[in-house]
Amino acid sequence: MKLYYSPGACSLAIHISLREAGLPFALESVNIREGTYAGGKPFTEVNPKGYVPVLRLDDDSLLTEGVALQQWIADQAPHKNLLPPAGTRERYTAIEWLAFITSELHKSFGPLFNPTASEDSKKSAAELLLKRFAYVDEKLKGHDYLMGSSFSAPDSYLFTVFNWSHYVKLDVSKFTNILAFCERMKARPSVREAYAAEGLKG
């Protein structure tokens, strides 16, 4: 199995979850800015969508999209409890978190990373993100992780996306519950190992 990733991108969430699950995998770095991998080959040869994460499974088939990958990983290692059992109310709550993070947080960063975006669009995106982070911060009050006291797949995604705030200079200092959550995440072996493998600084 191989994970195509770009350092610090949304693929980091999948990288962390793979390590949490204890599944064997290799890594293949992708230069998203240039759209290349493996010494300059076009990444669209792997994923016509042109972005990470992509997981090449042992049968050589490809699986894309973070929300789908998180569920696939969790189902390969059910004893790790990365997601609650299928069919339970808790499972749908976890999927609700994954959907919220991908649509309301992840995608809202787009204008802030886009050098051609107007200042108005960047301002609107920043305001929306702060509003959404306020919601998450309130939900984390009194909880170590999004689903309660234990790590689950949505946590790797929230951790990854929230940390983009530093790259775009978004002031998130008031979100003390999320910041405390991030410190707990940084202490996890899976996060430390993923950071080291991707050449990231904690």
Side-chain angles (χ1 to χ4, degrees):
M1 183 163 56
K2 179 186 290 185
L3 173 66
Y4 294 87
Y5 77 100
S6 184
C10 55
S11 50
L12 176 61
I14 304 305
H15 189 171
I16 293 169
S17 289
L18 281 168
R19 292 184 182 274
E20 288 281 348
L23 299 175
F25 65 98
L27 289 168
E28 180 80 49
S29 183
V30 178
N31 187 324
I32 291 299
R33 289 184 182 276
E34 296 181 4
T36 61
Y37 80 110
K41 292 191 288 187
F43 185 58
T44 49
E45 291 180 354
V46 176
N47 183 11
K49 301 171 188 174
Y51 54 76
V52 295
V54 177
L55 200 58
R56 185 179 294 279
L57 306 182
D58 291 339
D59 64 1
D60 208 39
S61 64
L62 299 176
L63 190 60
T64 66
E65 303 301 333
V67 174
L69 288 170
Q70 292 282 18
Q71 294 178 71
W72 186 89
I73 292 166
D75 289 340
Q76 305 315 299
H79 60 291
K80 295 291 187 175
N81 299 312
L82 298 185
L83 287 174
T88 63
R89 177 66 178 83
E90 291 78 15
R91 176 74 168 226
Y92 300 116
T93 298
I95 294 173
E96 181 181 9
W97 273 120
L98 289 171
F100 175 82
I101 296 167
T102 197
S103 64
E104 300 301 320
L105 299 181
H106 181 168
K107 289 303 179 184
S108 294
F109 269 97
L112 300 180
F113 280 118
N114 184 353
T116 65
S118 69
E119 288 305 311
D120 283 346
S121 65
K122 290 182 178 182
K123 180 181 178 182
S124 295
E127 290 173 350
L128 178 60
L129 277 167
L130 292 175
K131 184 184 299 184
R132 297 295 187 246
F133 281 138
Y135 169 80
V136 177
D137 195 68
E138 181 65 24
K139 288 293 185 178
L140 276 171
K141 185 181 295 183
H143 300 290
D144 288 341
Y145 299 98
L146 287 173
M147 293 292 291
S149 60
S150 300
F151 172 90
S152 64
D155 294 313
S156 66
Y157 199 6
L158 173 62
F159 173 76
T160 296
V161 171
F162 184 76
N163 281 321
W164 295 343
S165 302
H166 307 303
Y167 295 105
V168 298
K169 296 180 172 54
L170 185 66
D171 183 4
V172 292
S173 58
K174 65 181 178 181
F175 302 124
T176 55
N177 295 318
I178 306 180
L179 292 170
F181 156 83
C182 285
E183 290 305 309
R184 284 189 287 275
M185 287 292 295
K186 289 177 184 178
R188 299 187 71 83
S190 63
V191 175
R192 295 199 301 267
E193 292 164 5
Y195 263 52
E198 295 194 14
L200 302 170
K201 294 182 179 180

